[in-house]
Amino acid sequence: MQDAPTTAIPRLWPFKRVYYGWAIVATGLVASFGMVPMFGPVLGVFVTPIQEELGWSRATISFAFSVGSMTGNVSSFIFGKALDRYGSRVIVVCAGIIIALAMLGMSVMQEPWQFWLAFGAGRGSALAGIQIGISVTIANWFVRKRGRAVAVRSVGLRAGQALIPMVIFAIMAVSSWRMAFAALAGFTALTIIVPSAIYLRRRPEDLGLHPDGDAAPLEAAPRTGGSRFARTVEDVSWTLVQARRTRAFWLLVVYMSVDRFALGAINLHLVSNFSDKGLPDALAVSVLSIFAATSAVTGVPWGFVLDRLHVRYGAMLMSFLLLCSMLIILVADSYVLAVAFALTFGLAVGGSSIIENMLYADYFGRRSLGAIRGFTAPFRLFAPLGPTLTGFIQDSTGSYTVAFLIFAGVFAANLALMSLARPPRHPDLDAGGG
């Protein structure tokens, strides 16, 4: 049964004949661009200058990343059900305020605990408040076109990872890393707080609309024949209790946990790895920009593919590409091989956030998505240890080889996990004889 409308389309949305779900996507794109400083590729640009000025080890610097990821997981658990009930607007706006304050704090920090506190609060807010908040909202507004909607939103994150490191590098060339953090504070406030406060809404039914802009709600129906690889479009929602009773749910939990364990560490240490191998700083940063640009450019094509290809097979393809990228980086001792890694890794990561945001939604529907994602968050508490472990390995051995071998194993295991994660049938459909 459709919810009674509780609000109206904001007057500041200029495209009145365009389905309002695209306003949600556009807001998510801009907010994702604004939260980029809380992600590994951007923090990686700061590692060397912070190390040179303050004398901190890479493990010490990486620990801030781990604190932030753990904070995000705990916060996701706390706010998951609130996202289903109240929507993400207030949560995202508060997250933007915290991130801006965190940037200002990092611009004047002197001790490691100050860095851990500021970056931890900022990254935790980005992950729990913005990343999950926006993704749950978009999943509520789109079903048939969920892949392309999530893909368009992901362009903001990937474009930011491609552009912001070069801007930071330019600021540091004429000023300092402290000034770069201060500049990012204002940038964050402008891109997250303002548009989110104006445009975010919980779900289409609150405005008297239906997902994807359809004239009528998508009817729930049992799965029928067709290609085993095809995505089945249906708006069937599971409760958290029902989802927890399926094998697929727990396979997805493991998949998402170990995936984050590896990707966060690679993003953070990518620039340092190539600097250690003798690439000039500018070239090392350019590898990061090539990877991020590739992921940004390939994100939308990934989205259209995932509108038709079942997300399970998309996850398997992504894991295979990530495994290939690890094999390349292990032998990448020249700029040509570094670029080959960046292109392969970028192609894989171009689909990663789309797949991550579609997995639970496509398997278990949209009505309890916040509660489901919140429940799974504590199982990822070990994932933030990846960046710190990687920094410790580098400090101890002088290279990242052992860490990259571990990550190659992780991606091979993920490929196997998703081959087993067959989507379950909803018990209500089975009961109805479907």
Side-chain angles (χ1 to χ4, degrees):
M1 189 173 90
Q2 184 179 334
D3 298 339
T6 58
T7 185
I9 294 175
R11 293 182 179 179
L12 291 178
W13 174 240
F15 309 106
K16 303 302 183 183
R17 295 188 178 182
V18 175
Y19 174 53
Y20 191 73
W22 294 108
I24 304 296
V25 172
T27 302
L29 185 153
V30 175
S32 296
F33 192 86
M35 72 176 179
V36 160
M38 294 292 102
F39 283 71
V42 175
L43 180 60
V45 179
F46 288 97
V47 169
T48 298
I50 290 175
Q51 190 174 27
E52 290 176 350
E53 179 176 329
L54 300 176
W56 300 345
S57 69
R58 290 188 186 176
T60 297
I61 297 172
S62 302
F63 185 65
F65 192 88
S66 298
V67 170
S69 298
M70 290 179 180
T71 303
N73 289 334
V74 173
S75 300
S76 298
F77 177 76
I78 295 172
F79 295 122
K81 290 184 178 180
L83 288 171
D84 292 329
R85 178 171 296 183
Y86 304 110
S88 62
R89 180 161 53 164
V90 173
I91 292 174
V92 172
V93 169
C94 290
I97 294 171
I98 293 172
I99 292 172
L101 293 175
M103 293 291 182
L104 291 176
M106 287 186 284
S107 71
V108 297
M109 65 186 179
Q110 298 292 339
E111 300 294 335
W113 69 266
Q114 297 169 341
F115 184 39
W116 299 338
L117 178 63
F119 190 83
R123 178 166 172 78
S125 299
L127 294 178
I130 301 173
Q131 184 84 326
I132 292 184
I134 296 289
S135 67
V136 167
T137 304
I138 290 177
N140 276 323
W141 281 82
F142 292 90
V143 178
R144 290 186 300 103
K145 301 175 182 178
R146 184 175 289 152
R148 70 190 72 178
V150 174
V152 171
R153 175 258 176 149
S154 73
V155 170
L157 180 64
R158 302 310 173 195
Q161 289 176 336
L163 298 174
I164 299 303
M166 303 303 291
V167 173
I168 293 170
F169 190 76
I171 293 174
M172 292 193 299
V174 298
S175 184
S176 68
W177 60 267
R178 295 183 183 276
M179 180 58 68
F181 272 131
L184 288 173
F187 165 79
T188 295
L190 206 59
T191 53
I192 297 176
I193 300 171
V194 176
S196 298
I198 296 172
Y199 294 114
L200 283 185
R201 297 295 185 272
R202 185 183 62 148
R203 56 171 62 112
E205 289 83 354
D206 294 343
L207 279 68
L209 303 173
H210 300 292
D212 301 297
D214 292 341
L218 186 67
E219 294 294 331
R223 287 184 172 87
T224 57
S227 170
R228 60 179 293 195
F229 300 105
R231 177 173 182 250
T232 303
V233 179
E234 54 186 24
D235 192 15
V236 179
S237 292
W238 300 60
T239 66
L240 173 58
V241 172
Q242 289 172 330
R244 288 202 314 245
R245 292 172 179 163
T246 66
R247 182 180 73 165
F249 175 84
W250 296 106
L251 289 174
L252 295 188
V253 168
V254 176
Y255 174 88
M256 296 280 276
S257 299
V258 297
D259 180 67
R260 291 295 101 189
F261 173 83
L263 286 180
I266 297 166
N267 288 341
L268 178 60
H269 293 278
L270 190 157
V271 173
S272 298
N273 169 71
F274 289 113
S275 294
D276 290 349
K277 288 187 173 181
L279 288 185
D281 289 344
L283 288 183
V285 173
S286 76
V287 173
L288 167 60
S289 292
I290 291 170
F291 134 65
T294 302
S295 65
V297 169
T298 58
V300 173
W302 265 107
F304 279 90
V305 168
L306 290 168
D307 273 344
R308 297 181 177 273
L309 177 69
H310 196 283
V311 67
R312 173 190 175 201
Y313 296 106
M316 292 171 66
L317 175 59
M318 183 191 74
S319 297
F320 175 74
L321 291 171
L322 289 171
L323 173 59
C324 292
S325 72
M326 289 299 95
L327 298 179
I328 295 172
I329 201 172
L330 283 166
V331 298
D333 56 1
S334 67
Y335 188 63
V336 172
L337 286 175
V339 170
F341 158 78
L343 293 173
T344 307
F345 189 61
L347 176 59
V349 173
S352 67
S353 63
I354 304 168
I355 290 167
E356 176 183 336
N357 290 317
M358 288 183 66
L359 271 173
Y360 290 117
D362 272 20
Y363 271 69
F364 302 112
R366 62 194 182 101
R367 288 288 176 168
S368 299
L369 184 57
I372 289 172
R373 294 198 63 169
F375 176 83
T376 63
F379 295 95
R380 299 196 300 271
L381 283 176
F382 84 95
L385 298 177
T388 302
L389 174 62
T390 303
F392 177 78
I393 290 172
Q394 199 283 335
D395 289 337
S396 302
T397 66
S399 79
Y400 290 103
T401 299
V402 173
F404 292 149
L405 283 171
I406 292 173
F407 299 149
V410 165
F411 297 133
N414 270 355
L415 183 58
L417 280 173
M418 290 309 298
S419 70
L420 300 173
R422 297 185 63 181
R425 289 173 62 85
H426 196 285
D428 291 346
L429 295 182
D430 283 336

